[in-house]
Amino acid sequence: MTRVVLDISRLISRVRHSSPSGVDRVEMAYARGLMDSHGAELGFAAVHPSGIYGRISYETATAYLDELDRRWADTTAQRGQRSLPSVLPWMRRLLPKRAGVGSADVLVQVSPHHLIGTAKVRKILAGEKARFVCMVHDLIPIEYPEYARPGGAELHEARMATIAELAHAVIVNSEATGQSFKGWIERRNKPVPPIHPALLGTHPIAEAAPHRFADGKPYFVCLGTIEPRKNHLLLLHIWRDMAATLAADQVPRLIVIGRRGWENEQVLDLLDRSPSLKGHVEEVNRCGDRELAAMLRGANALLMPSFAEGFGMPVAEALSVGTPVIASDIAAHREVGLDVPEYLNPLDGPAWRQAVLNYAGDNPSRQTQLDRLKGWVTPDWSGHMSIAERVIDAAAR
């Protein structure tokens, strides 16, 4: 059997956090998936927050993964960062050891953690005498630097350069991401490593009764971090227009679920200060798994007007519980949703407004999508990991 070591640097760096990001969930899914197939033969490694690289024992790593699972599932926990003193015992326990380094065939890394340092990764691989399999989630900071934090494009360029130079195989979360990565390398006249698309598994949505508001009004959900590329501004302007032109009882609700991101002054001003949105738009910054499940299951549709995505996880989550989706017509959404969602240009405000009203009322559009949904199959982690295992085994040869 191929000797596999999984880098869990990202999860260790998140030791103070009580809720996971999307990348955290992917690294956890790989840990669980590779544990299922390799058992105690699976090795764990990390670059510790102290900067030390080395191995972490199977017992310590699995105990930490179990701790994270408990923390993520605890809906009563404080969702902010834990205090540094409270996590110091784990920081000490997770300090990597040199013992075992050099006994791997393949080092697997599915997060961008420490990839900005090509020399550091090269040194790690030389010490391990192992081949490198890495995941690319998207190239959005490079392709759309206006949607990234300042300096984000340069950092992501450094990550992609490390992967292009050192990876023996690359797993991507969609064909769209694979095409972006391949094109980026080719434009630099560099050799392209083998690229393998594998749709991410859909995180199971908790069982919950569909949410219903006391007044019975239909509602829509927009799910994701409030950041410019998610195009919340389009939806808020649509709702403000509906509030100005329709009777109050004819305006459906919009539930915006997600933490506030960066450079969102216009969106935040509308959410905080627009009197016409009051009573029609609700913002939910922290949402437990059961609350999210109820909201998704009860919504007339999920709205995803994003300008760019590497993988449309909310699209898959909504469809997995039978909720229709109205999404921007971009490659990542179509790859996940296939022919089920209603796809619209993310700049076509009138079309989005009409679609919202259609799905809120008696128009047959919603039922037509529900009929299409019957043939859609939820992407799962079993299918993803089957592809990943084949890639890892091939890289070892």
Side-chain angles (χ1 to χ4, degrees):
M1 178 180 287
T2 302
R3 298 173 300 171
V4 178
V5 172
L6 177 66
D7 187 303
I8 56 170
S9 303
R10 166 78 180 197
L11 290 177
I12 292 175
S13 75
R14 303 277 292 175
V15 67
R16 295 179 62 187
H17 294 258
S18 296
S19 56
S21 69
V23 176
D24 296 341
R25 289 194 185 276
V26 172
E27 194 160 289
M28 178 66 81
Y30 264 73
R32 297 303 189 190
L34 292 173
M35 286 165 61
D36 287 344
S37 56
H38 292 261
E41 297 302 311
L42 176 66
F44 290 96
V47 174
H48 191 266
S50 64
I52 298 172
Y53 172 82
R55 294 295 178 82
I56 298 163
S57 73
Y58 187 86
E59 294 73 21
T60 297
T62 54
Y64 179 62
L65 297 177
D66 291 344
E67 160 68 14
L68 289 182
D69 274 336
R70 286 191 294 270
R71 192 185 298 177
W72 295 352
D74 184 0
T75 59
T76 65
Q78 177 67 33
R79 307 316 285 179
Q81 283 199 4
R82 297 185 171 215
S83 68
L84 185 58
S86 73
V87 301
L88 281 177
W90 271 117
M91 294 285 284
R92 287 193 292 267
R93 191 174 173 185
L94 290 164
L95 195 66
K97 308 293 192 300
R98 291 296 301 168
V101 171
S103 61
D105 295 318
V106 180
L107 177 66
V108 178
Q109 183 169 337
V110 297
S111 81
H113 193 276
H114 68 261
L115 290 178
I116 58 172
T118 304
K120 186 178 188 70
V121 178
R122 187 185 297 109
K123 182 178 179 181
I124 288 170
L125 291 171
E128 290 286 4
K129 299 181 177 63
R131 294 190 164 226
F132 191 35
V133 172
C134 197
M135 175 175 279
V136 172
H137 294 262
D138 63 63
L139 276 80
I140 291 172
I142 298 171
E143 296 177 324
Y144 302 93
E146 65 271 25
Y147 298 142
R149 289 186 175 93
E154 292 77 12
L155 289 175
H156 212 55
E157 290 257 5
R159 296 184 188 107
M160 295 303 102
T162 298
I163 296 170
E165 179 178 340
L166 300 178
H168 295 84
V170 177
I171 298 170
V172 291
N173 56 9
S174 65
E175 290 275 4
T177 297
Q179 288 300 316
S180 291
F181 184 54
K182 180 174 181 287
W184 182 84
I185 297 174
E186 289 176 339
R187 287 191 292 276
R188 281 147 187 79
N189 297 314
K190 302 292 186 181
V192 179
I195 298 173
H196 305 271
L199 292 180
L200 301 180
T202 303
H203 179 65
I205 303 300
E207 292 297 329
H211 183 82
R212 295 287 183 267
F213 286 95
D215 58 12
K217 286 178 68 172
Y219 70 92
F220 294 81
V221 166
C222 180
L223 176 60
T225 302
I226 303 174
E227 55 179 304
R229 72 179 173 89
K230 298 291 187 179
N231 201 17
H232 290 81
L233 196 60
L234 172 86
L235 298 180
L236 297 183
H237 281 309
I238 289 170
W239 253 262
R240 187 166 65 174
D241 177 71
M242 289 192 295
T245 58
L246 301 175
D249 62 353
Q250 297 299 306
V251 181
R253 277 190 178 83
L254 172 63
I255 311 300
V256 178
I257 301 176
R259 63 180 178 82
R260 293 187 172 193
W262 53 92
E263 297 185 357
N264 271 314
E265 289 80 2
Q266 286 182 299
V267 171
L268 301 185
D269 285 347
L270 280 168
L271 287 171
D272 291 338
R273 295 162 42 195
S274 175
S276 60
L277 296 182
K278 302 301 181 185
H280 301 303
V281 176
E282 296 183 21
E283 180 186 2
V284 181
N285 298 128
R286 294 175 182 173
C287 192
D289 287 350
R290 192 165 297 279
E291 182 185 2
L292 174 61
M295 282 290 183
L296 268 182
R297 292 177 188 275
N300 280 48
L302 172 80
L303 305 180
M304 282 288 290
S306 308
F307 290 115
E309 295 285 351
F311 179 79
M313 182 60 79
V315 172
E317 291 174 334
L319 295 179
S320 74
V321 297
T323 297
V325 172
I326 305 171
S328 53
D329 193 359
I330 58 175
H333 284 165
R334 283 193 175 271
E335 197 169 335
V336 175
L338 303 177
D339 65 347
V340 176
E342 184 154 342
Y343 297 106
L344 300 172
N345 187 308
L347 295 174
D348 192 347
W352 280 85
R353 183 185 189 277
Q354 188 59 55
V356 165
L357 292 175
N358 288 346
Y359 278 66
D362 296 327
N363 186 283
S365 300
R366 187 173 187 274
Q367 184 56 52
T368 300
Q369 183 173 156
L370 289 172
D371 291 340
R372 294 196 300 268
L373 181 51
K374 294 173 184 176
W376 184 82
V377 178
T378 305
D380 60 24
W381 277 111
S382 175
H384 179 99
M385 292 307 300
S386 292
I387 296 172
E389 289 279 13
R390 290 196 297 270
V391 173
I392 292 166
D393 287 342
R397 294 196 288 271

